[in-house]
Amino acid sequence: MSTLDWIVLFGTLVSIVAYGLYRSRGSNTVDRFLLAGKTMPWYAMALSIMATQASAVTFISTTGQAYVDGMRFVQFYFGLPIAMVVLCATVVPVFHRTKVFTAYEYLEQRFDSKTRALASVIFLCQRGLSAGLTLYAPAIVLSAILGWPDRVTIALMGVTVVMYTSLGGVKAVTWSDVQQMVIIFLGLVASLATVIVLLPKTVSFPDALYLAGAAGRLNAVTTNFDWNDRFTLWSGLIGGTFLFLSYFGCDQSQVQRYLTGSSIAQSRLSLLFNAVAKIPMQFFVLFIGAMVFVFYLFAQPPVLFEHSQMELIQKSPAFRPLAERYAGAFNQRRAAALRLIEAHHTGDAALERQRVTEYRAAQRAIDETRTDASTLVEQSGGERGFSDTNYIFLSFVTRYLPVGLVGLVIAVMFAATMSASAGEINSLATVTMVDLYRRHFRRGASDHHYLMASRWATVFWGAYAIASAGFGRKLGSLIVAVNILGSLFYGSLLGVFVLAFFFRRVRGTAAFWGMVAGEAVVFSVFKFTNISFLWYNVIGCAVVILTALAITWAAPGNARTSAA
């Protein structure tokens, strides 16, 4: 990067942290540190919720996902508006009225302490693992730019986030998120504008859209029903609704955001804003990936976008013929793309169909060569199951964006990670302190003691995220890995909250064993079937509810037992 890029990058990050810490003054009690004293306005909560989701994984991996598989990943979010409306009507008023610090605190009020403890542990397992993946995404950025090992960059990012979170608490995180979302939006617009400007002068924007569509990169909606297809209209509407009900209703990293609201109305507004804005934002991010694909129709991309693995296979005798085959395939695809545009302009339907067939055949040749290159990585002693999806957008940014904009886009990725990681670590610390430490290990201590315990818990979970981040390199597309991980746990959490809100006869023991059964079934489905991960949320929720109802029906006395 140039000197200007470094100035833009560090100037942006320092201003974000400084502003957040400035706005967090007075966070010297547990209530202020964990819930900002319930003083946050709706727009700050709304942008914080969106920023917490928009980690560097979103920009690095989602754009790459669109490059290799098209825009159908957007269907993953189709259930979000439905979930937000349901949560505004049910969860938000209950959590505010019961004055809880965490969602799981409510489960003890409704059921018993063991149900609360199990739900807390499930959350800690899921969110603790995903915190590591969130850190790994920006580590890819720094490693590629600086040439440092990713272990070093993971530690650097993790320590920065821990210091920031432990000092400022949720108020610092929330106000920083407001700034970060503005920067994220500017970075996205700049990236898309750059891609369009860099297209050949003979290729108009409508032509680019046509080429992306002909290659299947604008396939935003897939209507076929297939249990094994991860991204369809039905998995998004049904499975996605269950996932987002779990995520925003049961995941403390999101619940904690709207618990900081000054009123029920303010919290509801923050969720409804996300219901309206999230799908367009995700569509925009995916669209950038599709346009990067079109750009690389005319500018030859590397065989592999990950430099270290590329250098590894270049030493192999098999690389030279593979590289020659790749160059030939690229030239054929570029020529096929230009011929397709010409045929499209003539209006000759038969010729256009012929050119589409040639264009898609040329794309398959490119894909086959890249697959062979990934196989060569394994044969050369590199990563097993290697995928360079997470490096595609990063490669474009560092090679083609103008001076200054590179620093801004890299700052976007770091800002997003600071937001997502800080929110995750803050919520992990909150659950650890409130639901486990204060409830089971040290009751009746001073507020200052619990404040310090929260800060030490923040340090612990930051260290854990750093230690687990390295596993990200083995998981392929990070955006998919993060959501698979969440889906392994969210269904059970959603099921127990559905029991709490809508099945008044169910008590603690039935709810507890329902969660145990739900997790057992979901992990079995994950291990022994190819069912899409979005359905895990539906399956887990259903198993929890049915198991709890069966226990309640089989032991009627359980329904009359008061909660512990």
Side-chain angles (χ1 to χ4, degrees), residues 23-69:
R23 293 300 299 260
S24 69
R25 291 169 301 163
S27 297
N28 53 4
T29 68
V30 171
D31 180 63
R32 292 173 181 172
F33 185 79
L34 299 181
L35 294 183
K38 289 188 175 290
T39 60
M40 302 306 296
W42 73 268
Y43 61 88
M45 289 185 289
L47 292 176
S48 180
I49 289 170
M50 183 173 286
T52 302
Q53 300 172 69
S55 68
V57 173
T58 300
F59 305 104
I60 294 174
S61 189
T62 304
T63 46
Q65 185 74 18
Y67 183 97
V68 300
D69 190 45

Side-chain angles (χ1 to χ4, degrees), residues 204-444:
S204 66
F205 183 63
D207 290 337
L209 292 177
Y210 178 72
L211 289 173
R217 296 316 191 262
L218 298 182
N219 53 338
V221 178
T222 306
T223 57
N224 63 295
F225 188 91
D226 185 350
W227 288 102
N228 300 324
D229 191 343
R230 288 175 172 176
F231 310 121
T232 68
L233 175 65
W234 310 111
S235 65
L237 282 175
I238 302 172
T241 297
F242 277 76
L243 173 62
F244 289 115
L245 283 172
S246 306
Y247 183 48
F248 291 98
C250 313
D251 189 316
Q252 181 63 21
S253 67
Q254 295 303 312
V255 172
Q256 193 160 342
R257 291 297 178 274
Y258 56 81
L259 286 180
T260 63
S262 56
S263 67
I264 293 175
Q266 293 285 300
S267 295
R268 281 172 166 165
L269 281 172
S270 70
L271 293 180
L272 292 175
F273 173 85
N274 276 270
V276 173
K278 179 60 179 176
I279 294 177
M281 177 183 173
Q282 199 66 36
F283 184 93
F284 190 53
V285 174
L286 286 161
F287 184 70
I288 292 172
M291 290 298 100
V292 169
F293 169 82
V294 175
F295 168 78
Y296 277 125
L297 291 175
F298 305 101
Q300 183 172 338
V303 179
L304 295 177
F305 289 92
E306 209 281 281
H307 297 304
S308 65
Q309 301 301 314
M310 184 68 171
E311 292 174 357
L312 176 66
I313 65 173
Q314 284 175 335
K315 301 173 183 177
S316 170
F319 176 74
R320 184 172 179 178
L322 186 146
E324 292 174 353
R325 181 157 57 95
Y326 181 74
F330 167 76
N331 290 329
Q332 289 179 358
R333 186 181 66 172
R334 180 173 57 186
L338 293 173
R339 289 196 298 269
L340 176 57
I341 292 175
E342 292 175 2
H344 180 62
H345 289 168
T346 64
D348 186 333
L351 178 62
E352 186 174 346
R353 285 194 298 270
Q354 179 185 340
R355 298 305 188 209
V356 167
T357 300
E358 295 172 355
Y359 173 59
R360 290 175 178 172
Q363 179 59 47
R364 284 194 298 272
I366 289 280
D367 293 338
E368 289 169 2
T369 308
R370 279 175 41 80
T371 300
D372 292 343
S374 297
T375 303
L376 186 58
V377 169
E378 294 188 24
Q379 294 172 350
S380 303
E383 298 176 18
R384 289 192 170 275
F386 170 76
S387 170
D388 65 349
T389 303
N390 302 317
Y391 295 86
I392 294 172
F393 183 61
L394 174 60
S395 176
F396 169 79
V397 166
T398 54
R399 292 181 62 185
Y400 293 104
L401 258 62
V403 173
L405 278 184
V406 175
L408 177 63
V409 173
I410 299 302
V412 165
M413 296 179 187
F414 278 103
T417 295
M418 288 166 57
S419 168
S421 296
E424 288 176 331
I425 292 170
N426 183 253
S427 64
L428 286 163
T430 300
V431 171
T432 301
M433 196 282 290
V434 172
D435 293 301
L436 299 180
Y437 181 74
R438 189 173 72 176
R439 175 63 181 84
H440 296 284
F441 296 99
R442 186 70 183 272
R443 307 186 72 169

Side-chain angles (χ1 to χ4, degrees), residues 395-564:
S395 176
F396 169 79
V397 166
T398 54
R399 292 181 62 185
Y400 293 104
L401 258 62
V403 173
L405 278 184
V406 175
L408 177 63
V409 173
I410 299 302
V412 165
M413 296 179 187
F414 278 103
T417 295
M418 288 166 57
S419 168
S421 296
E424 288 176 331
I425 292 170
N426 183 253
S427 64
L428 286 163
T430 300
V431 171
T432 301
M433 196 282 290
V434 172
D435 293 301
L436 299 180
Y437 181 74
R438 189 173 72 176
R439 175 63 181 84
H440 296 284
F441 296 99
R442 186 70 183 272
R443 307 186 72 169
S446 65
D447 187 83
H448 178 72
H449 176 85
Y450 291 130
L451 175 63
M452 296 307 298
S454 299
R455 286 184 166 142
W456 279 112
T458 301
V459 173
F460 168 80
W461 283 110
Y464 178 85
I466 293 170
S468 62
F471 291 104
R473 70 173 63 90
K474 303 177 181 179
L475 299 179
S477 173
L478 291 177
I479 191 67
V480 175
V482 166
N483 288 296
I484 291 176
L485 180 62
S487 296
L488 291 173
F489 298 94
Y490 280 146
S492 296
L493 287 176
L494 177 61
V496 76
F497 277 96
V498 170
L499 291 173
F501 283 106
F502 301 109
F503 294 88
R504 305 305 300 178
R505 294 182 67 244
V506 174
R507 297 303 182 193
T509 298
F512 177 89
W513 288 110
M515 278 196 291
V516 172
E519 284 302 310
V521 170
V522 167
F523 273 91
S524 298
V525 170
F526 170 72
K527 183 173 179 59
F528 299 112
T529 76
N530 293 319
I531 292 176
S532 170
F533 69 87
L534 279 173
W535 295 108
Y536 298 171
N537 304 283
V538 181
I539 294 168
C541 180
V543 170
V544 171
I545 294 171
L546 292 175
T547 302
L549 291 177
I551 292 173
T552 301
W553 177 82
N558 187 48
R560 296 190 296 270
T561 303
S562 60

Side-chain angles (χ1 to χ4, degrees), residues 155-232:
L156 178 62
M157 280 299 305
V159 170
T160 303
V161 169
V162 169
M163 291 176 60
Y164 165 69
T165 309
S166 61
L167 288 173
V170 72
K171 195 172 183 180
V173 172
T174 302
W175 281 113
S176 296
D177 289 347
V178 174
Q179 274 192 317
Q180 288 163 4
M181 281 308 303
V182 174
I183 295 169
I184 287 169
F185 180 74
L186 291 175
L188 290 174
V189 171
S191 297
L192 180 60
T194 301
V195 175
I196 294 172
V197 169
L198 290 177
L199 289 173
K201 296 187 182 300
T202 57
V203 179
S204 66
F205 183 63
D207 290 337
L209 292 177
Y210 178 72
L211 289 173
R217 296 316 191 262
L218 298 182
N219 53 338
V221 178
T222 306
T223 57
N224 63 295
F225 188 91
D226 185 350
W227 288 102
N228 300 324
D229 191 343
R230 288 175 172 176
F231 310 121
T232 68

